Amino acid sequence: MNMKIDILLDAIEKKDAPVCVGLDPMLSYIPSHIVRQSVAENGEGLKAGAYAIWEYNKRLIDALCDIIPAVKPQVAMYEQFGYYGMEVFEKTVRYCHEKGLVVIGDVKRGDIGSTSEAYARAHLGSVKIGNSFYSPFDEDFATVNPYLGDDGIEPFTKVCKETGKGIFILVKTSNPSGSQFQDLNTEGKKLYERVADMVNKTGKDLMSVKYPYSSVGAVVGATYPEVGGALRKIMPNALLLVPGYGAQGASAKDLREYFNRDGLGAVVNSSRGIICAWKKEDDVEYAADNFAECARKAASAMISDINSAR
């Protein structure tokens, strides 16, 4: 079985790029000519919105696939368009795979029992219908909310053992109000440290066959670098998925402690900073027509910046 953690780390090393791009498009991010064209073809409605995102995603993926190892589509951006949005989410995942990209489904699922199992099957596993198995969305990794404890995590790790896929458990998020609960003291430890301990323990059964890393990773925001360094020590074998770079204010110098001495151990995400790069150009009209090239330029700059911190 090919483990997705090996495939991801191989791609990071081959492309020398410990980054992923968040495919989190809102309609306001998309050049107006793409939206107008979709409305003309599909009529005004949810279908037009979803298909505008599909066109936008395809061009971004084509421009980025040879320089980045992974993408992270945020499912909420697709769910807002109902059925058509979920169709585009599935198409986006499959197109990314066709282009050789690892897909981290940013779904933040967290429930118990059969519900958690259904989430795991939907995003990382398969469903048996008749004599055959079908994979609904088929991401390589998924983000998981640990608030319900082991009951919410175990259905995902069970599927990961069957498929070779992986998860990223929310440990310390990049948003300001995350500290309301994550920083609470629990018998001498912060709550996020308790979750990190769980990640470390759970990951021991899902170790890579090639690298000293587990298929159970952790989401650790770039906006708290001192915490990131401490969590790196608690979870030495966890790959850290690091949001908060760029648009949320974190820079490469904040990320040095997130990496291990092998130069691996973290994959840094940027969403708006890449997919909305065209909006930062002086000639916005020209940039709107060349948004994919602007995204590639921004991604290349990000890769160079992050590599300076490794």
Side-chain angles (χ1 to χ4, degrees):
M1 180 191 302
N2 290 326
M3 295 185 71
K4 298 300 183 180
I5 185 67
D6 292 339
I7 294 171
L8 175 55
L9 290 169
D10 281 345
I12 287 172
E13 291 212 294
K14 180 180 179 181
K15 295 178 179 179
D16 195 24
V19 306
C20 71
V21 172
L23 293 178
D24 307 344
M26 299 286 283
L27 276 185
S28 60
Y29 300 172
I30 301 176
S32 58
H33 69 275
I34 294 178
V35 178
R36 289 196 302 269
Q37 181 66 29
S38 186
V39 170
E41 293 175 353
N42 301 291
E44 190 173 287
L46 295 175
K47 184 177 181 180
Y51 281 26
I53 284 178
W54 170 231
E55 179 62 27
Y56 190 59
N57 281 355
K58 281 193 298 181
R59 291 178 58 181
L60 288 170
I61 293 161
D62 288 343
L64 296 169
C65 62
D66 64 319
I67 63 170
I68 65 169
V71 293
K72 184 176 70 65
Q74 165 52 255
V75 73
M77 305 307 183
Y78 303 84
E79 287 176 345
Q80 65 182 322
F81 296 102
Y83 162 82
Y84 298 108
M86 296 313 295
E87 177 192 6
V88 167
F89 181 81
E90 179 189 7
K91 290 169 70 172
T92 295
V93 172
R94 297 194 186 284
Y95 192 65
C96 287
H97 283 155
E98 289 174 14
K99 294 294 183 176
L101 292 169
V102 173
V103 180
I104 302 169
D106 196 354
V107 298
K108 296 185 178 69
R109 298 304 193 228
D111 214 300
I112 61 172
S114 59
T115 305
S116 188
E117 182 179 345
Y119 280 142
R121 295 282 173 198
H123 291 281
L124 299 178
S126 59
V127 178
K128 186 176 182 181
I129 302 173
N131 296 317
S132 301
F133 288 87
Y134 300 90
S135 298
F137 295 112
D138 201 26
E139 301 104 293
D140 301 300
F141 293 83
T143 56
V144 179
N145 190 324
Y147 196 76
L148 280 78
D150 288 339
D151 291 338
I153 301 298
E154 288 176 357
F156 282 90
T157 56
K158 179 182 177 182
V159 169
C160 288
K161 289 175 183 177
E162 296 170 359
T163 62
K165 296 185 177 184
I167 58 174
F168 288 98
I169 296 174
L170 304 181
V171 174
K172 176 64 174 170
T173 57
S174 58
N175 60 303
S177 65
S179 60
Q180 287 179 313
F181 298 118
Q182 295 164 21
D183 286 16
L184 290 175
N185 285 308
T186 60
E187 299 180 352
K189 283 189 176 183
K190 300 285 191 182
L191 181 57
Y192 64 75
E193 292 176 313
R194 298 282 182 187
V195 180
D197 287 337
M198 181 183 71
V199 170
N200 194 47
K201 178 182 177 181
T202 304
K204 293 185 184 302
D205 292 332
L206 282 160
M207 291 297 296
S208 161
V209 298
K210 182 176 180 181
Y211 296 92
Y213 293 99
S214 169
S215 295
V216 179
V219 177
V220 179
T223 46
Y224 303 99
E226 69 289 347
V227 174
L231 288 172
R232 173 76 285 165
K233 295 174 183 176
I234 295 173
M235 303 178 290
N237 303 118
L239 186 64
L240 305 184
L241 176 60
V242 187
Y245 173 86
Q248 292 187 50
S251 62
K253 64 181 176 60
D254 298 319
L255 301 174
R256 189 175 302 276
E257 298 301 319
Y258 290 69
F259 292 93
N260 282 321
R261 290 184 177 181
D262 59 6
L264 298 172
V267 56
V268 183
N269 179 76
S270 179
S271 299
R272 284 171 291 165
I274 306 299
I275 67 173
C276 293
W278 67 274
K279 290 195 165 196
K280 302 174 185 176
E281 297 292 329
D282 293 333
D283 188 345
V284 176
E285 184 174 343
Y286 172 83
D289 290 332
N290 296 277
F291 67 89
E293 290 78 3
C294 293
R296 183 183 177 90
K297 178 181 175 182
S300 295
M302 176 189 177
I303 292 167
S304 298
D305 191 35
I306 299 300
N307 280 338
S308 72
R310 289 210 279 171

